[in-house]
Each structure stands twice: as C-alpha cells, then as structure tokens.
Amino acid sequence: MEGVLWYLLASSRGGSTRARIIRALEERPRNPNQLAEKLGMDYTTIRHHLDVLVENNVLRRSGDEYAAVYLFTDRTEAHWETVEEVLETVEGDE
Amino acid sequence: MDVWLGAARAAAALNVVLLVGLGYVWLDNYREHRARHTLGLLVFAVLLFVQNVLWLYFYVLHPDFIAWFVNSGTDVRAGVTLLCGLELGALVFLGRITFT
C-alpha cells in the first residue's frame, strides 16, 4: 500500500492533482462535481483521477447513485500516516 | 535481415523511447517533490536506459556480435531477443501506470 500511495501521488504524471483530490476529500466527502468546483478543474479530469484512485483501492464510492461521494477505503485509513507523509512531500514546494 | 535481429533491435529501440518518457516524468516529479520513491524510479530508468543503449550498440553497430547472433541457433536468437522483448512488456505495463 505504501508503494501504491507513493506511486499514485508522487511518482506518476497526475500525482499532484490526485494529491489535491485527497486533501479535498480529507476535509469532507465530495462528489466529482463538488471536487471539480473546489479545485477549479475539469469534471472529466477529476473523474479520470477518481477512477484511478478507485481502481487502486485508495478511494471508494459511497453508492451507485449519480451524486455518490467518494470516501477513503479502510486500507487507506489504516495507512493514513503514509498518506500524510506523501502529501507533505508533494505539497512541500507549492 | 534476420527476423530475430530485427525484433531485438526494435525491442531495444522501443525500450529506449519508453525509458526516456518514463525518466522524463520521474525527473520532473523528483525535481518538484524530492521524494525518495521517485528518485529510486529515476535511478532504475537511467540504468535500464544505459543497458538498452548498450544492446542497441551490439545489435546495430557491432559486426562481430551481429555475425555471432545471425549464425547462432534459433534458441539463442530467440532467447537473446526475449531479454529485451520481455523488458519491453514490463516497461509498457509500468508506462500504463505512470502516464495516468
């Protein structure tokens, strides 16, 4: 899991954006529209990154309905120290 | 040209291209975040890059190596080609994760 977090948030091309999504979801669960608005980014871009995070078991959807919000998986919660470490590294110079 | 030699050259060349792309992403991210994880990937990309440039040198520019290669049995030609071919498969998978 640690490796996955470092890879997805610090070492791959969309890492910075995914790190911002994680921070926004840490404040409170949000749906893709709310995330797009909060981060000032395109809805499809947000959806793409959310899909990547779900595929890698970092996030889960609260349900199947259209307005479903995204939550952290138990696995992510269990590794929250690593998440913090990665986020602090990624946010370091911004 | 021997089909195995052609395949080996193509695989080594594609590996070089993929490693430049991966190395670019990792260098960019390392400059930005200074994460040790990213640095590890960057070192990995540089070493594999050198390895594939060496292979290309042997496959394209080294007459003795080429003569040995084309006069070897199919097992040797296929086996040596797979060294770069399997690496190409591995790098394609890594690329699919890295460029998302």
Side-chain angles (χ1 to χ4, degrees), chain B residues 62-74:
Chain B
H62 200 293
D64 292 343
F65 180 88
I66 294 170
W68 170 80
F69 187 96
V70 295
N71 290 311
S72 298
T74 310

Side-chain angles (χ1 to χ4, degrees), chain A residues 20-68:
Chain A
R20 294 179 65 207
I21 290 175
I22 299 286
R23 271 291 185 230
L25 291 176
E26 188 192 3
E27 285 177 27
R28 61 179 177 84
R30 292 177 151 100
N31 67 34
N33 264 320
Q34 295 165 329
L35 280 168
E37 197 175 325
K38 162 90 180 163
L39 302 179
M41 296 187 72
D42 187 51
Y43 174 83
T44 24
T45 311
I46 295 289
R47 273 307 301 263
H48 163 76
H49 290 298
L50 287 169
D51 287 346
V52 172
L53 290 166
V54 169
E55 280 163 18
N56 286 281
N57 202 16
V58 175
L59 299 180
R60 63 186 174 87
R61 278 164 64 94
S62 63
D64 284 330
E65 71 275 22
Y66 173 72

Side-chain angles (χ1 to χ4, degrees), chain A residues 3 6-14 16 18 48-49 52 89-91 93-94, chain B residues 22 25-26 29-39 41 94 97-100:
Chain A
W6 280 106
Y7 211 102
L8 289 174
L9 305 177
S11 297
S12 53
R13 210 181 47 164
S16 305
R18 289 191 279 266
H48 163 76
H49 290 298
V52 172
T89 306
V90 173
E91 291 162 349
D93 324 294
E94 280 166 15
Chain B
L22 289 167
V25 172
W26 292 331
N29 283 6
Y30 181 66
R31 276 178 166 164
E32 215 179 318
H33 311 314
R34 304 275 155 191
R36 275 176 59 83
H37 180 272
T38 318
L39 180 63
L41 292 167
L94 199 49
I97 311 168
T98 308
F99 293 109
T100 56

Side-chain angles (χ1 to χ4, degrees), chain B residues 5-20 48-63 65-66 80 84 87:
Chain B
L5 184 62
R9 284 176 175 173
L14 284 169
N15 285 346
V16 166
V17 171
L18 273 169
L19 285 163
V20 168
L48 287 193
F49 174 82
V50 173
Q51 182 210 44
N52 281 283
V53 169
L54 257 176
W55 275 121
L56 268 184
Y57 165 71
F58 284 120
Y59 287 145
V60 179
L61 297 173
H62 200 293
F65 180 88
I66 294 170
V80 174
C84 283
E87 191 178 314

Side-chain angles (χ1 to χ4, degrees), chain B residues 75-94:
Chain B
D75 55 342
V76 170
R77 282 179 293 156
V80 174
T81 301
L82 272 180
L83 294 178
C84 283
L86 292 172
E87 191 178 314
L88 176 61
L91 290 176
V92 166
F93 270 93
L94 199 49

